[in-house]
Amino acid sequence: MDHSEKDPLVDARPSADKNWLSLEKSPYLLQHDSNPVNWYPWSDAAFKRAAAENKPVFLSIGYSTCHWCHVMEHESFEDAEVAELLNDHFIAIKVDREERPDIDTIYMNICQLLTGEGGWPLNVFLTPEQRPFYAGTYFPKTSKYGRPGMMDVLPQLLHAYRTDPEKIQDVADKLTGALQPGIQTNTQEVSSEVIAQAHAILEGEFDSSFGGFGGAPKFPSPGQLLFLLRYYAVTKDQNTMEMVEKTLDSIADGGIYDHVGFGFARYSTDPKWLVPHFEKMLYDQALMMMVYTEAFLINRNPSYRKIVYDTARFLKREMLHPDGGFYSAIDADSEGEEGKYYVWSADEITKILGTEQAPVYREVYNITPQGNFENANIPNLIGTNKAAIADKHGMTLVELERLLENCRQQLLAERQKRSYPHLDDKILTSWNGLCIAAMAKAGAAFAEPKFLELAENAVEFVDTHLWQEEYLYTRWREGEAKNLGYLDDYAHLLWAHIELYMATGAVANLAKAKQLAQALLERFEDIGQYGFFFTDKEAEALIVRDKTAIDGAMPSGNGIAALQLWRLGKLTGDNDLLTKSDTTITAFADIAEKYPSAVLMLLTARLAFQAGGKEIVISGTSQTEKSALLQFLRTSYRPYDVWLEATVEAAGTMPLTEGKIHDDIPLAVYVCENYVCKMPLFDLQEVKQRLAQ
């Protein structure tokens, strides 16, 4: 049937076996296109129909690799009774939170206000004007375990909507009002005491036994670790570094890290990092790569280097589009079972590896007949002493590692014969920005051209497919770019281009960073009170234009924008960018003082102002000496320093290089700090000694 012949304001469904989601590109929406529920995508047509028929809106938000979203679909949205209630009395709308984080953020705030908790699936009941009056997360079909069920909630809310519309409107008024941003009262800078308070909170929440912060479920929380690494860079507080190392070591040992195919699962269901929620998100891979890279630059732990390389191998093998962009996520479920793709029985291991290798592998990775997850095994290194096991089996550690790698390759080959989990193959600008930044940082830190090639190919993908004229878009899939870019898209891509410039010296990346910064300021800045809105000034108007610095699964867009504008200001000598960074931090001073550990990326930007850092200008005719110095800088941990090569080509982009271009001596290096450039240094070893101090 030609779907274009159907009118969503007239017809319930475009065809007998498909609802309106069948016209979309989102993998999550397409997962629901055959439901008996007459789903609409978020659209004017859906709300017009709700208004015309005076029906409440049932809004359900999730994403394609969400386990409990799958559960609710099977229990409720594929159920004829639930579908009949929704179709007869509600307008049902499905939203992919990864494509529309603007919608998700608003209604997640509502859910947290009403219930004190959040998560996905997120289900919210709205008036036809998009205003919420009830919300929750997972609803089973019938009430159980203290959770209200769809067959109870739907009739009760429908009755209230019909018989007491004034109460519904009153609730909707209050909830919508609660979302409106208040007038900022604090225009003072965020004090260094707030940074110390955030650090103290993390110290108090730190799990000294297994690393990480708080109890189960336990998330890797790379944003916390990036803050701690930068705090360490300023304070040299050894306890801070020990918290980071304990966390990274424990994650690397646990089942949350995939010891067969690599990559990180989204979170652990237990304090030891043993049993993961098996889905793999691109942003976790990117940020964990960044953390392990930066930690390596401090402690030179070779296992951290290996994890970075192995994570890159995983991304290239399983999450890379042929044209260079990175896919969004891999599901936890396969064949309807969570983790089935990733777990092993002891007998399987023995059968695959043979009687000589299997006992050693099983001992190292804690594989037992009874298992550690639903009678199966998640390979892990928790409590493993490799040296003792090598000695027990008459091997050196090198020989043991060689055997384990051989076993891993055999297991991976066998695993790849299994039914692969669902891959969400949409390309998200913001998550690719994080991945490009991480790849560029790793490429610089390890002098690894393969990483830089992956980063540059991904940037080219974004430039080709997600820039349309002067607009940056959020998502690309099957030839379609959709949704005007959000703050995170611009901020993360700005980070990516700065890292690429620092890693390669390619001036084109600096020019692109300047373009992104200008667009970010023009499209998102709150002119009256500073900081940045989440949505573009030309974007669809929702019930509130959100503006926040609170970190979530990813660091906040305002925090990243503040830090990257500061870095770009230093690189380009643009004091206006430094001022915009400062006013962004100040805009959220109230929330920073009340909840310091909730705005760690913002405080990381504040730390940057405190640290100051250096601007290092490199010139001269000896490419060998300049390259040696750049490699020295790139392979050191210098979170607050920037470096730039003085060339005629770059002069217009980087005013700091003016008067510092030398074409008559091998090497000249200017170290600038606190708005002052010292006399140039001409000897490579002296420069290194000065910078190492």
Side-chain angles (χ1 to χ4, degrees):
M1 175 177 290
D2 182 0
H3 289 159
S4 64
E5 296 176 0
K6 292 286 187 175
D7 183 346
L9 290 177
V10 176
D11 299 293
R13 298 170 75 87
S15 68
D17 59 343
K18 297 285 185 181
N19 56 51
W20 291 105
L21 302 184
S22 61
L23 307 185
E24 298 297 308
K25 297 278 191 187
S26 156
Y28 177 62
L29 300 188
L30 291 171
Q31 284 175 347
H32 294 77
D33 70 355
S34 297
N35 291 168
V37 176
N38 292 334
W39 291 115
Y40 286 83
W42 181 276
S43 58
D44 287 342
F47 287 103
K48 285 178 180 177
R49 187 159 194 164
E53 299 177 13
N54 190 26
K55 288 180 177 178
V57 171
F58 173 69
L59 171 65
S60 185
I61 302 174
Y63 56 102
S64 79
T65 59
C66 164
H67 172 72
W68 287 101
C69 300
H70 302 332
V71 173
M72 189 166 176
E73 179 188 14
H74 297 323
E75 286 187 350
S76 295
F77 304 142
E78 293 176 352
D79 182 84
E81 287 184 289
V82 173
E84 184 177 11
L85 268 175
L86 284 171
N87 295 342
D88 289 350
H89 306 294
F90 296 82
I91 297 299
I93 295 177
K94 260 285 171 201
V95 165
D96 182 340
R97 67 168 292 264
E98 295 169 355
E99 288 196 356
R100 294 300 304 264
D102 53 339
I103 297 169
D104 176 63
T105 299
I106 291 171
Y107 296 108
M108 184 60 74
N109 289 338
I110 290 295
C111 185
Q112 290 169 333
L113 278 172
L114 284 174
T115 69
E117 64 176 17
W120 299 275
L122 172 63
N123 296 290
V124 190
F125 292 84
L126 316 177
T127 68
E129 298 76 38
Q130 304 180 11
R131 301 190 311 151
F133 59 89
Y134 187 81
T137 54
Y138 162 67
F139 294 118
K141 178 184 176 181
T142 56
S143 301
K144 59 183 178 181
Y145 312 127
R147 284 188 171 274
M150 291 289 282
M151 295 304 293
D152 297 311
V153 169
L154 294 176
Q156 289 171 14
L157 290 177
L158 180 64
H159 178 75
Y161 187 85
R162 286 177 171 171
T163 61
D164 199 351
E166 291 182 359
K167 182 177 181 180
I168 294 291
Q169 291 298 331
D170 183 55
V171 171
D173 287 344
K174 289 176 178 174
L175 288 174
T176 304
L179 293 174
Q180 303 304 320
I183 301 298
Q184 289 160 207
T185 58
N186 190 341
T187 57
Q188 302 301 310
E189 70 174 25
V190 175
S191 71
S192 58
E193 291 178 7
V194 175
I195 296 170
Q197 289 166 9
H199 182 266
I201 290 168
L202 291 179
E203 277 190 315
E205 294 177 347
F206 180 67
D207 179 350
S208 58
S209 298
F210 300 105
F213 304 90
K218 195 179 265 186
F219 290 79
S221 302
Q224 295 173 331
L225 301 174
L226 289 170
F227 167 78
L228 289 174
L229 287 169
R230 283 157 179 73
Y231 187 91
Y232 170 78
V234 171
T235 65
K236 299 302 182 210
D237 175 66
Q238 197 56 41
N239 184 56
T240 298
M241 194 62 202
E242 287 171 3
M243 285 195 290
V244 174
E245 289 173 333
K246 180 66 176 179
T247 301
L248 293 181
D249 293 345
S250 298
I251 288 172
D253 286 347
I256 190 172
Y257 182 67
D258 180 355
H259 292 275
V260 174
F262 310 132
F264 298 89
R266 187 161 163 256
Y267 63 85
S268 172
T269 61
D270 62 277
K272 296 194 296 183
W273 309 102
L274 173 60
V275 179
H277 182 45
F278 290 87
E279 66 186 316
K280 293 180 178 178
M281 315 300 291
L282 178 61
Y283 59 80
D284 282 326
Q285 317 312 314
L287 290 168
M288 292 305 289
M289 269 189 79
M290 182 74 77
V291 174
Y292 277 99
T293 298
E294 294 196 352
F296 172 85
L297 292 176
I298 296 171
N299 66 15
R300 304 290 161 172
N301 185 332
S303 70
Y304 293 2
R305 181 184 189 277
K306 183 177 186 304
I307 284 173
V308 172
Y309 270 76
D310 289 345
T311 304
R313 287 167 68 187
F314 157 71
L315 286 168
K316 185 176 180 182
R317 186 183 67 240
E318 298 190 32
M319 298 192 77
L320 183 64
H321 187 282
D323 294 338
F326 290 96
Y327 300 133
S328 297
I330 301 170
D331 208 330
D333 298 10
S334 56
E335 299 181 48
E337 292 183 30
E338 184 179 7
K340 185 173 182 179
Y341 184 74
Y342 297 101
V343 299
W344 309 85
S345 71
D347 287 344
E348 266 185 303
I349 297 288
T350 301
K351 183 178 179 181
I352 296 163
L353 300 181
T355 54
E356 288 189 18
Q357 295 183 116
V360 181
Y361 185 89
R362 286 173 55 171
E363 189 172 357
V364 171
Y365 285 99
N366 298 302
I367 308 295
T368 64
Q370 62 269 26
N372 53 35
F373 174 72
E374 298 180 359
N375 299 316
N377 288 278
I378 302 163
N380 70 90
L381 294 169
I382 299 171
T384 293
N385 184 333
K386 285 186 177 179
I389 293 171
D391 188 56
K392 174 182 171 182
H393 291 275
M395 288 185 280
T396 65
L397 263 177
V398 171
E399 289 170 335
L400 175 63
E401 292 292 0
R402 191 180 298 130
L403 179 146
L404 294 175
E405 174 58 17
N406 184 50
C407 292
R408 186 197 68 80
Q409 292 180 19
Q410 291 179 67
L411 292 174
L412 180 60
E414 193 65 30
R415 194 173 81 176
Q416 289 173 328
K417 298 174 185 176
R418 296 175 176 177
S419 179
Y420 193 74
H422 161 70
L423 172 70
D424 189 319
D425 62 356
K426 65 178 179 288
I427 311 289
L428 293 171
T429 301
S430 63
W431 298 9
N432 271 261
L434 293 177
C435 199
I436 294 160
M439 284 287 181
K441 170 71 81 173
F446 301 112
E448 180 52 77
K450 293 177 184 176
F451 295 165
L452 295 176
E453 183 182 359
L454 285 167
E456 288 165 342
N457 288 345
V459 155
E460 185 177 349
F461 186 100
V462 172
D463 283 348
T464 301
H465 297 290
L466 285 147
W467 279 104
Q468 306 283 338
E469 297 175 352
E470 75 269 31
Y471 295 103
L472 181 63
Y473 284 81
T474 291
R475 183 272 283 158
W476 181 92
R477 185 170 186 267
E478 294 183 350
E480 179 192 64
K482 189 173 183 181
N483 299 328
L484 276 184
Y486 303 108
L487 172 61
D488 288 5
D489 296 308
Y490 286 81
H492 295 179
L493 204 54
L494 174 60
W495 188 359
H497 278 286
I498 290 174
E499 291 297 348
L500 270 170
Y501 172 73
M502 300 291 284
T504 67
V507 177
N509 285 302
L510 206 56
K512 196 71 175 183
K514 290 179 70 174
Q515 178 190 351
L516 279 160
Q518 193 58 42
L520 191 153
L521 292 165
E522 289 176 0
R523 295 188 167 282
F524 298 92
E525 188 177 14
D526 182 350
I527 302 298
Q529 300 193 44
Y530 302 115
F532 300 101
F533 292 111
F534 186 69
T535 53
D536 191 296
K537 65 182 181 181
E538 296 182 45
E540 173 191 358
L542 302 174
I543 58 171
V544 65
R545 195 178 180 199
D546 193 51
K547 187 178 91 169
T548 183
I550 294 176
D551 301 319
M554 292 176 287
S556 76
N558 268 289
I560 289 179
L563 181 58
Q564 301 310 322
L565 289 173
W566 179 83
R567 294 177 78 196
L568 186 60
K570 283 167 68 72
L571 279 166
T572 60
D574 188 337
N575 282 327
D576 287 343
L577 294 179
L578 298 177
T579 300
K580 294 299 184 184
S581 172
D582 184 44
T583 56
T584 301
I585 299 167
T586 303
F588 299 99
D590 284 347
I591 195 76
E593 289 178 1
K594 290 177 185 173
Y595 309 105
S597 62
V599 292
L600 292 177
M601 186 52 70
L602 191 82
L603 296 186
T604 299
R606 173 64 180 81
L607 263 173
F609 278 95
Q610 182 177 321
K614 301 176 178 67
E615 302 90 52
I616 302 159
V617 182
I618 304 166
S619 185
T621 59
S622 173
Q623 198 57 50
T624 301
E625 291 194 55
K626 289 191 292 184
S627 295
L629 179 55
L630 285 167
Q631 183 164 349
F632 170 77
L633 293 170
R634 290 165 181 159
T635 55
S636 310
Y637 185 59
R638 302 178 170 277
Y640 305 112
D641 293 349
V642 297
W643 45 87
L644 45 157
E645 189 173 346
T647 63
V648 174
E649 177 196 11
T653 309
M654 298 177 290
L656 193 62
T657 65
E658 187 177 337
K660 300 181 179 71
I661 300 174
H662 294 269
D663 57 6
D664 54 349
I665 51 176
L667 182 70
V669 179
Y670 295 81
V671 179
C672 309
E673 199 168 7
N674 298 320
Y675 305 100
V676 175
C677 290
K678 298 173 184 175
M679 293 297 290
L681 301 170
F682 305 103
D683 180 75
L684 178 61
Q685 294 309 314
E686 184 184 0
V687 174
K688 287 183 177 181
Q689 288 171 5
R690 292 277 188 96
L691 292 173
Q693 292 171 355

